[in-house]
Amino acid sequence: MVQVLLTALVVLVLAGVAYTAAAARVVKQYERGVVLRFGRLRDDVRGPGFTMVLPGAERLRKVNMQIVTMPVPAQDGITRDNVTVRVDAVIYFKVVDAASAVVEVEDYRFAVSQMAQTSLRSIIGKSDLDDLLSNREKLNQGLELMIDSPAVGWGVQIDRVEIKDVSLPETMKRSMARQAEADRERRARVINADAELQASKKLSQAAAEMSSQPAALQLRLLQTVVAVAAEKNSTLVLPFPVELLRFLERAQQPTPQQPVDAAPQVPKAPAGTAPPVEPVGSAEAAEAAEPVEAVASGGGGEPAPSSAPAATPVSPGPARTAPAPKQTPAAARPGPRPRPAPTGPKPLARH
């Protein structure tokens, strides 16, 4: 009898262990458990930890609540401006309602993937090429909204959608490269012209400053010579200013000696006549009168008669110096006037 009882006890323990092993479930921290009893959804969703189900009557479905990163296959499409492109993207989503993800859709991952592909094709057809290349933030928001609308009923929340790459045909790439090159060349020319304008203004200011100081131009010339001579790979021709050459020419010429003022020599008069007296006047008047007398003598002939009165002879005495005539402007100075030939003994005419 005791042996029968021990055998029954062992059988019960083994049945309990088998039942516990069959009914025990472990739900991880990032998972939730959905229980179906005889195919009907139970209201309670099992949290993380150890849980028990009825073997054969209940079935536990574990749903991952982590954010899922799913690549969207590249899709070929034609943009609104008739350009063929190939676009791929990536989508980030997570399950927020485990019961709906199990009941409402057969495979929520596959459903989200297909919805992402169709939404991406729709976005390509509604957008221009420039929007795909430069305005991706707006396209990402539109794509996220298009995918999130049906996914809400599946218990899935779309966190983010990003367009990864836009592949263009080779001809379009070359056209865009030429366009970018032309635009950069245009901007380079504008910048160069602006620099030339600013440089011309600065040069005009420098020229105005150098015009007031001529030495500044010579210093600038010397600076340019120093800058060019630093290369040591070219022949330098240095121009000299004309003023410097004239200064050197004047320095080489001998300085004329000034004549010493002396008393004028009075020609000797013939015997028996009184010595002539030079009329009072400047030395220039005496020199100007001498050629007139020579012309009037006619080269050794008789002197021309003169209507001027004869000079009164005076006793010889010390020579008097006539005062210097006042200088008058050239415009107001009268022309040369014929001087009367003095009477009396004439010096010999010079041939």
Side-chain angles (χ1 to χ4, degrees):
M1 186 65 182
V2 176
Q3 186 177 4
V4 173
L5 291 176
L6 291 177
T7 305
L9 182 61
V10 171
V11 170
L12 290 175
V13 171
L14 292 177
V17 171
Y19 179 82
T20 303
R25 298 289 187 272
V26 177
V27 180
K28 298 179 182 179
Q29 181 66 37
Y30 54 86
E31 294 177 341
R32 297 295 182 269
V34 179
V35 179
L36 299 174
R37 181 177 293 179
F38 296 107
R40 187 172 182 179
L41 178 66
R42 295 290 304 269
D43 296 336
D44 55 335
V45 176
R46 307 295 175 88
F50 180 81
T51 184
M52 298 289 291
V53 295
L54 296 175
E58 294 180 349
R59 185 178 178 183
L60 180 66
R61 292 281 303 271
K62 298 178 182 179
V63 180
N64 192 341
M65 306 297 290
Q66 292 177 321
I67 295 178
V68 180
T69 302
M70 179 183 293
V72 180
Q75 301 297 315
D76 294 328
I78 300 177
T79 61
R80 191 167 57 180
D81 50 355
N82 299 326
V83 178
T84 303
V85 294
R86 185 180 180 87
V87 182
D88 56 352
V90 60
I91 183 173
Y92 304 88
F93 67 94
K94 66 180 179 179
V95 177
V96 294
D97 189 357
S100 298
V102 173
V103 175
E104 299 296 335
V105 63
E106 179 183 2
D107 187 354
Y108 66 90
R109 289 176 178 267
F110 181 75
V112 171
S113 175
Q114 294 299 316
M115 179 59 65
Q117 295 180 29
T118 56
S119 299
L120 183 58
R121 285 177 175 270
S122 178
I123 285 293
I124 293 174
K126 294 179 180 179
S127 304
D128 295 332
L129 180 61
D130 294 337
D131 295 336
L132 287 175
L133 298 177
S134 61
N135 196 11
R136 292 189 179 182
E137 291 295 332
K138 183 178 178 180
L139 296 180
N140 293 336
Q141 294 177 3
L143 187 59
E144 178 181 349
L145 183 61
M146 293 180 65
I147 301 174
D148 190 54
S149 297
V152 172
W154 305 336
V156 177
Q157 179 182 354
I158 306 300
D159 282 350
R160 190 175 184 85
V161 180
E162 292 286 344
I163 296 177
K164 292 198 321 183
D165 188 22
V166 178
S167 300
L168 299 175
E170 294 297 330
T171 56
M172 181 57 65
K173 289 182 180 180
R174 289 194 295 267
S175 299
M176 294 178 65
R178 289 195 299 268
Q179 179 183 0
E181 183 179 358
D183 184 60
R184 290 184 177 275
E185 185 177 358
R186 177 185 62 84
R187 285 187 292 177
R189 290 184 179 180
V190 170
I191 293 174
N192 190 14
D194 191 13
E196 291 292 339
L197 178 60
Q198 295 179 6
S200 63
K201 291 181 179 179
K202 294 299 182 181
L203 288 176
S204 63
Q205 295 177 4
E209 188 69 22
M210 289 183 180
S211 62
S212 60
Q213 296 291 338
L217 185 60
Q218 301 297 329
L219 294 177
R220 187 69 185 93
L221 177 61
L222 295 178
Q223 291 178 357
T224 305
V225 170
V226 171
V228 174
E231 298 295 333
K232 296 181 180 180
N233 57 359
S234 60
T235 303
L236 181 63
V237 179
L238 179 63
F240 286 94
V242 180
E243 291 77 4
L244 180 59
L245 297 178
R246 292 177 179 175
F247 174 75
L248 296 177
E249 183 180 358
R250 289 196 299 268
Q252 292 178 0
Q253 292 180 357
T255 304
Q257 298 180 358
Q258 299 293 336
V260 182
D261 295 339
Q265 298 180 0
V266 180
K268 296 182 180 180
T273 61
V277 179
E278 184 178 358
V280 179
S282 62
E284 294 179 0
E287 293 178 1
E290 185 176 356
V292 174
E293 294 171 0
V295 174
S297 63
E302 293 297 328
S306 176
S307 60
T312 304
V314 295
S315 59
R320 294 181 297 176
T321 304
K326 297 181 179 181
Q327 297 293 334
T328 59
R333 186 178 299 171
R337 295 181 300 176
R339 299 178 178 273
T343 59
K346 308 291 184 177
L348 297 178
R350 289 175 293 183
H351 296 282

